[in-house]
């Protein structure tokens, strides 16, 4: 699955990168699913964990780009081929900022989705305490089960998205052209 759905579309070497991407996928998936245990919160619902993962991916991608292209080639790779003159001067800072924003967006995406699901689950279960009605309690528990099943689905999706974006960043770093 990882090779066909993530590695091949991004164009990176499957033999080299499949273990790393699979490890990231499983790490995030297991952490996401830990949140389905009553009383437990997923580690990916903590901004520190998601930021550490995203910064690690950013550092790896930056290192690979420097290693493959060299110092001058690194900065040249931020400008698309064929772009010259004033357009290149405007485009370069935009591309540089976009590279710096990637780990931030990667971390926030995973954190917000995982913590948002738990907040929704706690809110629905809180209705039983607020209203103290048996009918509301049954509806709240039923709604919580639906949200919990949806949270399992979101956990799989988030693990896939993070692994895919990681492979995409690595592919962008080692690609020959922009």
């Amino acid at each position: 699955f990882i090779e066909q759905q993530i590695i091949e579309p991004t164009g990176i070497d499957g033999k080299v990168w499949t273990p790393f991407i699979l490890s990231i996928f499983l790490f995030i998936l297991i952490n996401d699913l830990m949140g389905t245990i009553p009383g437990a919160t997923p580690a990916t619902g903590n901004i520190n964990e998601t930021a550490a993962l995203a910064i690690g991916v950013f550092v790896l991608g930056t290192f690979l780009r420097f290693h493959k292209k060299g110092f001058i080639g690194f900065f040249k790779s931020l400008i698309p081929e064929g772009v010259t003159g004033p357009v290149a001067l405007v485009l370069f800072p935009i591309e540089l900022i976009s590279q710096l924003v990637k780990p931030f967006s990667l971390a926030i995406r995973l954190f917000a989705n995982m913590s948002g699901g738990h907040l929704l689950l706690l809110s629905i279960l809180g209705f039983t305490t607020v209203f103290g009605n048996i009918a509301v309690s049954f509806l709240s528990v039923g709604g919580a089960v639906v949200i919990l099943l949806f949270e399992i689905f979101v956990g799989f999706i988030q693990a896939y998205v993070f692994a895919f974006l990681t492979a995409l960043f690595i592919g962008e770093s080692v690609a020959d052209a922009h």
Side-chain angles (χ1 to χ4, degrees):
F1 172 78
I2 296 294
E3 285 182 350
Q4 291 176 349
Q5 297 296 319
I6 295 175
I7 302 293
E8 287 177 13
T10 57
I12 59 178
D13 184 12
K15 290 182 180 179
V16 173
W17 292 107
T18 299
F20 178 71
I21 301 297
L22 179 62
S23 297
I24 284 180
F25 176 81
L26 290 175
F27 180 77
I28 291 172
L29 179 64
I30 289 168
N31 277 310
D32 290 350
L33 295 180
M34 289 287 215
T36 61
I37 298 170
T41 57
T44 49
N46 184 336
I47 190 66
N48 296 314
E49 167 133 353
T50 60
L53 286 169
I55 290 169
V57 168
F58 173 73
V59 168
L60 176 65
T62 304
F63 171 78
L64 289 172
R65 186 174 281 201
F66 265 113
H67 182 70
K68 173 142 176 127
K69 299 174 189 219
F71 185 76
I72 302 295
F74 174 83
F75 292 106
K76 282 185 178 178
S77 71
L78 295 177
I79 300 172
E81 288 184 29
V83 176
T84 58
V87 175
L89 291 174
V90 171
L91 196 57
F92 179 76
I94 294 171
E95 286 289 326
L96 189 60
I97 290 169
S98 76
Q99 292 296 316
L100 297 173
V101 168
K102 283 180 184 180
F104 178 74
S105 70
L106 201 58
I108 294 297
R109 179 184 296 114
L110 181 58
F111 165 71
N113 281 307
M114 296 318 300
S115 60
H118 264 62
L119 289 174
L120 182 61
L121 186 64
L122 290 173
S123 297
I124 288 175
L125 287 175
F127 289 148
T128 60
T129 307
V130 170
F131 292 108
N133 187 336
I134 193 74
V136 172
S137 296
F138 281 120
L139 289 174
S140 293
V141 170
V145 168
V146 170
I147 296 298
L148 189 64
L149 293 174
F150 186 67
E151 222 178 315
I152 291 170
F153 174 70
V154 168
F156 276 94
I157 295 295
Q158 289 306 311
Y160 172 80
V161 167
F162 197 98
F164 184 77
L165 290 175
T166 298
L168 205 60
F169 295 160
I170 291 170
E172 179 185 49
S173 296
V174 298
D176 291 328
H178 185 45

